[in-house]
Amino acid sequence: MKVMLYMAIEEAPSAESADPEEITRHYKNFDEVFFHYCDKELKKINTFYSEKLAEATRKFATLRSELSNSHDNHYHGGRKRSTTKIAERMNQRQRALPPKKMQELKLAFSEFYLSLILLQNYQNLNFTGFRKILKKHDKLLNVTKGAQYREEQVESSHFYTNTDIVRLINEVEQTVTEQLESGDRQRAMKRLRVPPLGEKQTPWTTFKVGLFSGSLIVLFAAVILSAMFHVDKLSFQIAFKLYRGPLLIIELLFLLGVNVYGWRSSGVNHVLIFELDPRNHLTEQDLMEVAAALGVVWTVSLLAFLYSPSLSIPPFANPLALVLLMILFLINPIKIFRHQARFWLLRVIWRCIAAPFYHVGFADFWLADQFNSLVTVFLDFHFFICFYVSSTWMTTNGQVNVNCNEGVTLITGALMNCVPAWMRFAQCLRRYRDSKEAFPHLVNAGKYSTTFFVVIFNTLKTYHKNEYFDELDNPYLYLWLIANFVSFCYTYSWDIKMDWGLLDSNAGENRFLREEMVYSSKAFYYIAIIEDLILRLSWAFSFILSHYKLVGSELMTSITAPLEVFRRFVWNYFRLENEHLNNCGKFRAVRDISVTPLDSSDHTQILRMMDDDDGVLNRDLKKKNSKRKDDRRPLLDNSSDNEFCSISVPSPVITRR
């Protein structure tokens, strides 16, 4: 609308050459178009506001009904009626509710209160947008029609004059105070307070990221130069397998930081999807800081290995110390070094390990998918254990004998190879048990079962390789190739169609993609489709190059493993975008208020996120304080001073499970 105003002034006839009537006619015609556009936008705002208000009224009635039913069920089931006062009876009924049910009700009311505040912000910001653009209209054209339109149309419109939203907010506050917080209003408002939406980075975090990153680059260059002149190639090859797993984990952490930056920049609500604490979660800089710091430790450890003869220490004590240090960092119980994030990760890892026995949330299945791209880490960890258990690694000359690819270790290595796929397989079965939906859960389980066949035939191929002079005579080779091809077709088609939601028949102009997209360019999607195809076929390239002795198998693994982590990094972008837009996995974190039992997950994010003093409160209360009015002005000034503002309000959905 601001552009319309400036265009009208630019296209106006010149006052020096044009007749005054012609100029008046030009601005009259413009005013007809401009105010007609205002009428259309005002109608859209009124309609949207009315729909959302009616929806909020229905949701509040549902929540109160759920609260009343919960109280009645527990009160009648466990206590006899008495003649106590009403307040005492309410306290008894509240105490009768189980703690988990109480948490779920508080969570539901907190989410609903957030939606009411957003709707109230929508009301206030759109009025401010109209006021500013009409004021700009009058100032540029030197008329008073804008002020007249505001008084006659905007100030009398339903979205501005209606006060039902204030009544609903007050009723929610009263309900939570009296029925969920035993009359403690201060405690109730602490839970209902809406958190600020911005991510704040401290200069200290930025400095640490730069310091660790710069140190990592210098040390990594020193590692490369030192490795070029390392004499004992055998010990270095063993060390490379011991150091490769930690390096892949560090790569994944860094790329996750890039993922978080991309999600936040594009508006993909990863905090809600992963059900993180909105006030206390790792940002992209935090993840990059951890990755860079661990990278520095990794390079120092590798340099210590290379120069261990000069330091007179056993060379292979260095990778052992590195792995133990990383494990200690993860399980350290002291509340330092991102304690809350580390223990959140440990809880999710445990639910992945015990997959069949726990309800599967989005974070659970997502982490198990990351593990499937870190199979090399699992195999290297298996080699790590075998090496330190069976070899004489304490020698200072670096000469060791290793036998970790035959006999029992070959079988245990195959089992370790299947662990990530088993996690996802078990999670799919658990989701089928919970939802009774054969598609997609059983079909998805079938996808992960193909990995078992690939591993079985690869193990048989390796076990019988000495029985055949030519590798091509080994029948298990062809079974392995067939299993790999079936797995490739299965996993690639699932990536594109199910995980990313592409190849949508209703995509319209977005050919082969989907109708709704978050990221700015279609090219990102087409490049990702091709990239996923190529990297999913890395097993074929690996086989061809290894068969013709062009590249050693271990070197090929060292090339394909980081590329697989990169493929998962790209996959993460489009998987979370699809979940954000379509809730394709039907995980309740996306626009979902649950007021019924949530199986095994205790979600305390709303109970923790409402405890900061700088949260956004009921704006009706702020109007009473004259100082707060100035604080609200930058809401439009930061983007466009006089631009009409129309923001959408997320609409949580109350579901019964």
Side-chain angles (χ1 to χ4, degrees), residues 8-24 26-27:
I9 293 174
E10 290 179 5
E11 295 174 356
S14 173
E16 299 176 355
S17 59
D19 189 358
E21 291 185 1
E22 183 179 353
I23 297 175
T24 303
H26 168 79
Y27 284 115

Side-chain angles (χ1 to χ4, degrees), residues 50-62:
S50 299
E51 290 175 353
K52 292 300 176 184
L53 185 62
E55 184 180 334
T57 304
R58 291 193 300 271
K59 288 175 184 174
F60 184 49
T62 303

Side-chain angles (χ1 to χ4, degrees), residues 348-359:
V348 177
I349 290 174
W350 171 249
R351 290 201 298 269
C352 290
I353 295 172
F357 309 108
Y358 284 88
H359 171 80

